[in-house]
């Protein structure tokens, strides 16, 4: 399986505990896919909202395509996600009952199709973020010490 990652949402891993992930297709217009292939996409502040049993990704920035002239798209428009109805119902239930959030974590090409990795997530508190940073620093120090020992 050929998978080329276009964009990752590293902020999501910093701000949330990722509980479950889903693969979703995304509905794009003509110049949007060209801009995504070029790598002009940002997932940083994007989130997923469910309305009328349909999932939509909001705040995902896809830069306008340079050769797109008047057919260009709006960079921050709401885009529809392509998920199975059972998956949407399950996500909607988790958000309502457990107060979880749905965030996009990756944007990648699976063969020739553009896919979004959608994660069901719980927000981290400030002390959780600090704990993660401490663990990361200690792992880095250990790796550095082992590298210098040899």
């Amino acid at each position: 399986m050929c998978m080329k990652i276009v964009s990752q949402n590293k902020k999501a891993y910093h701000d949330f505990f990722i509980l479950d992930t889903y693969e979703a297709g995304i509905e794009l217009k003509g110049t949007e896919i060209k801009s995504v292939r070029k790598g002009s996409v940002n997932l940083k502040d994007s989130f997923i909202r469910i309305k009328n049993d349909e999932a939509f990704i909001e705040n995902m920035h896809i830069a306008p395509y340079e050769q797109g002239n008047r057919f260009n798209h709006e960079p921050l428009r709401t885009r529809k996600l392509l998920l199975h109805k059972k998956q949407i119902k399950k996500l909607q239930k988790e958000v309502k009952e457990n107060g979880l959030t749905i965030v996009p974590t990756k944007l990648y090409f699976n063969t020739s199709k553009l896919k979004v990795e959608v994660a069901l997530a719980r927000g981290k508190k400030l002390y959780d973020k600090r704990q993660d940073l401490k663990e990361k620093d200690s792992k880095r120090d250990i790796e550095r010490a082992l590298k210098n020992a040899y």
Side-chain angles (χ1 to χ4, degrees), residues 24-25 27 47-58 78-93 95-96 102 118:
E27 193 176 85
F47 60 96
I48 287 140
R49 181 174 286 152
I50 297 176
K51 287 187 267 186
N52 302 330
D53 294 334
E54 291 181 328
F56 296 94
I57 187 166
E58 299 188 18
T78 302
R79 295 163 181 92
K80 186 177 176 180
L81 289 179
L82 308 171
L83 284 162
H84 292 283
K85 190 167 249 166
K86 285 181 183 178
Q87 290 175 327
I88 293 174
K89 292 281 187 192
K90 184 179 179 190
L91 287 170
Q92 196 170 23
K93 180 183 164 207
V95 167
K96 274 187 182 175
I102 311 168
V118 174

Side-chain angles (χ1 to χ4, degrees), residues 29-141:
K29 294 196 173 163
T31 57
E32 287 178 326
I33 192 69
K34 292 178 180 183
S35 195
V36 169
R37 283 191 190 280
K38 216 176 80 181
S40 306
V41 64
N42 188 0
L43 289 173
K44 195 172 190 178
D45 295 322
S46 56
F47 60 96
I48 287 140
R49 181 174 286 152
I50 297 176
K51 287 187 267 186
N52 302 330
D53 294 334
E54 291 181 328
F56 296 94
I57 187 166
E58 299 188 18
N59 263 1
M60 182 173 80
H61 185 272
I62 298 177
Y65 188 60
E66 287 124 19
Q67 287 84 30
N69 60 39
R70 69 172 190 247
F71 300 110
N72 248 332
H73 59 276
E74 187 181 322
L76 286 173
R77 78 176 184 88
T78 302
R79 295 163 181 92
K80 186 177 176 180
L81 289 179
L82 308 171
L83 284 162
H84 292 283
K85 190 167 249 166
K86 285 181 183 178
Q87 290 175 327
I88 293 174
K89 292 281 187 192
K90 184 179 179 190
L91 287 170
Q92 196 170 23
K93 180 183 164 207
E94 290 287 337
V95 167
K96 274 187 182 175
E97 291 178 4
N98 301 333
L100 301 177
T101 320
I102 311 168
V103 291
T105 54
K106 278 185 203 163
L107 194 66
Y108 59 92
F109 282 101
N110 189 351
T111 59
S112 65
K113 306 270 193 267
L114 184 69
K115 300 290 182 179
V116 181
E117 186 180 79
V118 174
L120 197 58
R122 176 175 286 120
K124 285 185 182 178
K125 304 281 187 225
L126 186 61
Y127 57 83
D128 291 328
K129 293 179 190 177
R130 286 185 190 141
Q131 185 67 31
D132 284 349
L133 286 174
K134 283 180 188 174
E135 287 174 15
K136 209 179 213 181
D137 286 342
S138 65
K139 282 182 185 176
R140 192 179 307 121
D141 290 341

